[in-house]
Every structure is written in structure tokens, then in C-alpha cells.
Amino acid sequence: MESVDFSRYLTMLTLSVHVVFATVGVGVPIMIMLAHWIGLRRQDEHYLLLAKRWARGYVISVAVGVVTGTAIALQLALLWPRFMEFAGQLVALPLFMETFAFFFEAIFLGIYLYTWDRFKNPKLHFYLLAPVVLGAAMSALFITSVNGFMNTPQGFSLVNGELTNIQPLQAMFNPAMPTKVAHVLTSAYMTSAFVLASIAAFHLMRGNRHEYHRKALALTMKVGFIFCVATALVGDLSGKLLADYQPEKLAAAEWHFETEGEAPLVLFGVLTEENEVKYGIEIPYALSILVHSDPSGVVTGLNDIPKKFHPPYVVHYMFDIMVMIGIWLTVLSMVYWLSMSRNWSFIQTRAFRFLLVTSGPLSMLAIQAGWWFTEVGRQPWIMRGFMTTAEGATDSPHVWMMFIAFAVLYFILMFGTAVVLIRMFKKNPVERELEKSSNVQRSVAR
């Protein structure tokens, strides 16, 4: 294996680990804010405790996310030095702004955590969450704009292999940025809601029928459904963007070889050596509708694109996994919402709650599949149209050693994070915290 292969695998490993904490880092603040707002509005100690406990767990994920995020910055310089030398002037601004946004978020998060019951007006404490949510969203915006630039580069001129007329703002606000940022935000909010829902469902399934967990599940499943719909709408816009700027990625995702109208959308299946799809689920006209909002719209096929620019065809399965999980979670959350409004009792059965428990891991799997599709689907380019992955990679023969070292580091981080979170909440169960809060309130009243 060459150094470029190990560079790709190490980057994939790092991003796969980081996206777990990045997704939680972007999505959980809005859940904390919603719970805190409902708690204040209804004077409900359960929702206020939800906000407090979620914030504690969130801090752990932020701390680990800093480590994995730092690893990404380090690896950009070590593994892809030629890319950074070529495009560093264009991506430096959003990379710096992402760091600023993180510190902005972290400062107010720290103040929020350590000022519970310190304000005479509790709304002032609640307002501290606004910059936390904003900082998390801006952090996602800046770092996602870098990825958008790699897919739709602009903001410069290329003269004799040298970059001239460099415009960092134009590079940051590239054509892919709006839909990519919207997709990252809505999917992060959706995933975080389902992760928290799966925790509440797990407690209920084990027999803990405390009202705290019931309220947590109801809130998170409703939010999950709302952002499922939002993610699907943004996904439609993403498909149209791919058709305009990365037709090879869209065609590879659908195993679409012939340029034609009335193009079907193909799910799953097996691709033969003759590029024929067998055992797939074909939805007539769906690809043309996705791309053009017209069942007769013409969609570019892979046969009209030079083969050396074809992404790996395995991205088809990554796209399918992302889409099918999204559809399933939309249906699951919609059924739960309808059942809550109509008092259908089957949602309280152990079997249905088991399905709710799986929603968290499935949503995170969909996030992973989406990022794998994004990154693998851009191949062979690291900067589409200007630099291939092989051209941007290091030629050091020692990348395999870095791969092993970082793999060990990530295992320790993931295992350690799980242990810390489990022990943190196991030693402080909901019942104990509610009793302690009640005792404090009684002492204050006296």
C-alpha cells in the first residue's frame, strides 16, 4: 500500500470518530435550550433537570471533540501538505473562524454550567444558551464551508499552476456551502434528538417509568420528526446541487450510466461487470424528479464522463444506507407523534420502545454513511477539478505508523468517554437529583 492510501484511511478514521462528537456538539445545545425554555415556561423541574443533565454530558463530548478536531487540523498539514500549500490561503479564514466560534461557544457554556441558581431572574441564565447554540452552528458553518470549497472550488485564478487573485470570502461562500451547511445542521439536530430519545427509551424499556424519562422521550421524538422532514427537504436541494456541480457523484450514487430522461432511482442491488444492476429496487422517474423536479428531466450518466473521474461505485450503498435510515426514522417518529396525540397504547410496549432505542445508533450510522458518501464520492479529487488526492498527499513512508498510533488513541478516547458518561449518570440518578433539588427548595422556603 502507498502512503496516499494510508493517508486516506487515517483521514477517514479521524473524520469517522470526530463526526460523532461534532454532531453531538452541534445538535445537543438546541435540545438543552428547548428543555430549559419549556421548564421555565411550565415551571416544570423535570425539563429543567433535563437541561442540566444534558449539559453535563455535552461538556464531555465537547472536550473529546476538541482532541479529535485538533487531530484533523494536524493531519491536514501532515497528510495533505501539497493541498495545504496549494489552497491554504483560501481555507485559512474559515479554519480560523471555526476556532473562534468554538471558543465563543465554550466560554458561554462554562458560564451557563456554573451559574445555575445564581440569577434572581432565571431567564437571564437561560439567555446564556443563545450564544452556545449560535457558536455551535457557526462552528459547523465555517468548517463545512471548507468541505464545500473542496467540492466546488472558487475564489481564485490559476495562472501557470500558481494561484492568483485570491478571494477568501468568495472561496468560503462557495456554491456548495448553503446546502451543505443546512444539511449538516438539520441532520445534527435530528441525530442528537434521536440519540437522547434512545437513552430515554432505554430507561423506560428497563422498567424505569419515571415521568422525567417520559417527558424526555416525548420532547426528543417530536424534535426528531421535525428535523427529519427538514433534512429530507435539504437533501432534495443537495441532489439538485450535485446534478449541477458534481454529476459524476450523483450518477455513481444511483449507478446511472446512460444519459436519459425519465431516469429511475435505484436502491440497493448488485452491479455486474457489464454495469448492469441486478436485484435492485427501481423507482420510476424518481431520479429525474430529484434532479429537475420533472419526471422527464435528463440526468447525466457515467458513460458520458471520463472513467478516470468516476468515484468508487460503492458510494451507491452509502447513499442508500443514509436515505433508508432517514425514511425509517421519519416514519418511526411520525408514528410516535400521532400515537401520543391519539393515546395509542402500543407505543408503550417493550417491542416499540426497543425500536426507539435503536433510533440513536441508526441516526449516527446515517451520519457516518452521509460523510463517507460525501468524501468517497469526491474521489479522485481532493480539490475537484484542480488537484487529485494522490497529488495532494504526502509521500512519507511512515504514515502507517501514524495510522496505528491514532487508532489506539481513538479507541482510548471512545472507551474512556463511554465509561465517564456512564459513571457520571449512574452515580447521580434522576430520582436522587430531584430529591436533592426539592430539599434545597424547602430549605430556601424556610
Side-chain angles (χ1 to χ4, degrees), residues 400-410:
W400 66 272
M401 299 173 64
M402 288 182 60
F403 181 87
I404 294 173
F406 275 99
V408 173
L409 170 65
Y410 297 146

Side-chain angles (χ1 to χ4, degrees), residues 247-291:
E248 69 281 357
K249 181 188 285 191
L250 180 66
E254 293 303 323
W255 287 344
H256 184 70
F257 289 91
E258 299 296 334
T259 299
E260 60 183 357
E262 301 180 354
L265 189 147
V266 177
L267 296 173
F268 302 105
V270 176
L271 191 65
T272 67
E273 293 183 359
E274 294 77 24
N275 292 333
E276 294 181 359
V277 181
K278 290 187 176 181
Y279 316 116
I281 302 172
E282 189 173 291
I283 305 175
Y285 311 109
L287 187 57
S288 290
I289 294 172
L290 173 66
V291 172

Side-chain angles (χ1 to χ4, degrees), residues 13 17 35 49 79 107 175 204 224 241-242 272 340 376 381 390 431:
L13 175 64
V17 174
L49 185 58
L79 302 180
I107 289 169
L204 291 169
L241 176 81
L242 288 180
T272 67
M340 284 285 293
V376 178
W381 304 105
E431 295 80 3

Side-chain angles (χ1 to χ4, degrees), residues 394-417:
T394 179
D395 54 7
S396 170
H398 306 298
V399 180
W400 66 272
M401 299 173 64
M402 288 182 60
F403 181 87
I404 294 173
F406 275 99
V408 173
L409 170 65
Y410 297 146
F411 175 79
I412 294 172
L413 282 174
M414 297 291 281
F415 181 78
T417 302

Side-chain angles (χ1 to χ4, degrees), residues 225-238:
F225 173 69
I226 291 170
F227 284 109
C228 273
V229 175
T231 302
L233 294 175
V234 175
D236 177 70
L237 296 176
S238 298

